[in-house]
């Protein structure tokens, strides 16, 4: 999983290691992971990169969510600032570009396709960046108006949304196990929606609590759409499956989202309140700065994991792994923020975990089938 310093149109002298995306529309959910699994060594390397990206995603998502709630609890109140830090740390991704440079020969795909024009790719990045900014704003409102435990459990609904978008946009199969998972996650979110005790955040009215629920649900759906659109872009438009291309997309879309957040911050007038926030921040001015800084870094660590898993596996798998933080975030929320974990929340959590297991088992079955197919093809060749 490596990349050079070339741009999206690839004019550099260095060549890049390429790994085929599993679950592409041309192969469906049971497709092979390509050359990454064609030999024991490459299969081991593939699993290493999957594991590393899983860690980045889970650790970054957990830390950024908890720090986002900490910002509000300590006196922060700017929704646009909370939105801004979700993408403002994108320069960190340039470090990844430097660390994953490769001089290895290129592993070419079976067929070479003409590359998309630069103007078309830029337009896609701008549209995706604006969607990401809107999605981040909805998440910011949700985290402000909901307890962390409730917020994280509602976010699990993104897996159900992703199943639908992956079926429509990425030609993923809708199997009984996936249908079971979607049903469980839908009921899990519905339970939290009707739980009167889920409010739990002091000083938040019932109306704002409902608004937070609706916006978090909407953000989860939008996030799932973004992942599927990214995979479509990799497969249908850019047609270059290299790590540098994945990072280029993340950097460019985050840049657009950050600019949009800055425009929102100044247009809303919230920038005038930031100095006051810093002074009244319960943990002090330095804590205020460090909270925003590490929130931004944590979001980018999670983003590396997200796009890495989209690149190495698929958007569906990336979304499945993001739900692994479900048992983690509510536990930390109870410890650090004294969130209430009543019976309905526990049932909702168990249903969400059950939904994740259903999805995970389906992916295991798909992987097993694809490896058998790969072995059969090699034996017949």
């Amino acid at each position: 999983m490596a990349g050079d310093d070339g741009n999206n149109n690839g004019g550099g002298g260095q060549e890049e290691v390429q790994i085929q995306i599993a679950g592409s529309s041309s192969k469906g959910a049971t497709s092979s992971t390509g050359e990454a699994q064609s030999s024991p060594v490459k299969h081991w390397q593939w699993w290493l990169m999957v594991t590393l990206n899983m860690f980045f995603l889970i650790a970054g998502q957990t830390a950024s969510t908890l720090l986002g709630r900490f910002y509000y609890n300590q006196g922060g109140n700017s929704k646009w600032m909370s939105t801004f830090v979700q993408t403002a740390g994108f320069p960190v991704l340039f470090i990844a570009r430097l660390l994953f440079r490769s001089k290895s020969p290129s592993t070419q795909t079976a067929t070479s396709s003409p590359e998309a024009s630069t103007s078309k790719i830029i337009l896609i990045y701008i549209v995706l960046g604006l969607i990401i900014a809107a999605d981040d704003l909805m998440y910011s409102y949700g985290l402000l108006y909901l307890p962390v435990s409730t917020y994280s459990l509602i976010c699990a609904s993104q897996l159900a949304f992703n199943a639908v978008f992956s079926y429509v946009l990425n030609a993923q199969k809708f199997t009984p196990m996936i249908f079971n998972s979607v049903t469980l996650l839908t009921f899990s979110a519905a339970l939290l929606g009707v739980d009167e005790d889920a409010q739990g955040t002091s000083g938040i009215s019932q109306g704002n609590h409902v608004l937070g629920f609706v916006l978090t649900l909407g953000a989860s759906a939008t996030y799932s759409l973004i992942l599927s659109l990214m995979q479509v872009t990799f497969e249908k438009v850019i047609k270059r499956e290299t790590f540098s291309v994945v990072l280029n997309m993340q950097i460019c879309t985050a840049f657009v989202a950050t600019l949009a957040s800055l425009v929102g911050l100044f247009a809303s007038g919230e920038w005038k309140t930031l100095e006051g926030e810093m002074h009244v921040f319960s943990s002090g001015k330095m804590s205020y700065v460090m909270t925003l800084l590490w929130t931004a870094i944590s979001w980018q660590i999670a983003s590396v994991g997200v796009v890495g898993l989209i690149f190495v596996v698929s958007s569906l798998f990336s979304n499945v792994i993001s739900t692994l933080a479900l048992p983690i975030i509510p536990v930390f929320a109870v410890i650090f923020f004294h969130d209430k974990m009543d019976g309905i929340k526990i049932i909702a959590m168990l249903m969400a975990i059950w939904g994740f297991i259903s999805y995970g088992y389906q992916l295991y079955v798909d992987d097993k089938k694809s490896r058998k197919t790969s072995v059969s093809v090699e034996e017949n060749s």
Side-chain angles (χ1 to χ4, degrees), residues 262-278:
L262 277 177
V263 171
L265 181 64
F266 283 94
S268 66
E270 286 188 0
W271 66 275
K272 300 176 182 177
T273 67
L274 297 182
E275 185 176 357
E277 275 190 7
M278 184 182 296

Side-chain angles (χ1 to χ4, degrees), residues 1 3-5 53 56-57 85-101 132 230 243-258 296-308:
M1 186 170 177
D4 64 7
D5 287 331
N53 283 304
F56 285 157
L57 174 53
V85 297
Q86 292 182 50
T87 53
F90 73 88
V92 172
L93 299 178
F94 287 106
I95 299 176
R97 286 294 304 271
L98 294 175
L99 291 178
F100 289 98
R101 296 180 65 181
I132 289 171
M230 282 183 170
F243 190 55
S244 67
V245 169
V246 177
L247 280 179
N248 282 343
M249 172 176 282
Q250 181 62 22
I251 290 170
C252 293
T253 55
F255 175 71
V256 173
T258 301
I297 293 174
S298 298
W299 276 117
Q300 292 312 304
I301 291 174
S303 294
V304 169
V306 167
V307 295

Side-chain angles (χ1 to χ4, degrees), residues 149-150 153 330-331 334 338-346 349:
S149 54
T150 303
L153 290 172
V331 171
V334 171
H338 308 293
D339 276 11
K340 182 180 179 181
M341 286 295 290
D342 57 19
I344 292 182
K345 278 189 183 180
I346 293 174
M349 178 187 292

Side-chain angles (χ1 to χ4, degrees), residues 21 125 229-242 245-247 249 307 310-311:
I21 298 177
Y125 287 169
L229 289 176
M230 282 183 170
Q231 187 169 336
V232 169
T233 302
F234 291 142
E235 296 170 355
K236 304 295 185 181
V237 181
I238 299 177
K239 299 178 182 179
R240 292 186 60 220
E241 301 160 359
T242 62
V245 169
V246 177
L247 280 179
M249 172 176 282
V307 295
I310 293 174
F311 167 62

Side-chain angles (χ1 to χ4, degrees), residues 21-24 28-31 54 57 156-175 177-179 181-182 185 223-232 234-235 305-324 355-356 358-364 366:
I21 298 177
S24 65
T30 59
S31 67
M54 285 172 58
L57 174 53
S157 64
Q158 69 192 37
L159 193 58
F161 288 117
N162 194 234
V164 176
F165 288 129
S166 293
Y167 174 77
V168 174
L169 299 176
N170 308 125
Q172 296 282 1
K173 292 184 179 179
F174 213 74
T175 65
M177 293 300 294
I178 291 180
F179 179 78
S181 179
V182 169
L185 291 166
Y223 176 74
S224 299
L225 175 62
I226 290 168
L227 292 184
S228 291
L229 289 176
M230 282 183 170
Q231 187 169 336
V232 169
F234 291 142
E235 296 170 355
V306 167
V307 295
L309 289 176
I310 293 174
F311 167 62
V312 179
V313 192
S314 70
S315 66
L316 180 62
F317 185 78
S318 178
N319 221 345
V320 170
I321 296 305
S322 69
T323 64
L324 273 175
F356 165 76
S358 295
Y359 243 130
Y361 180 75
Q362 183 63 55
L363 290 174
Y364 166 76
D366 291 344

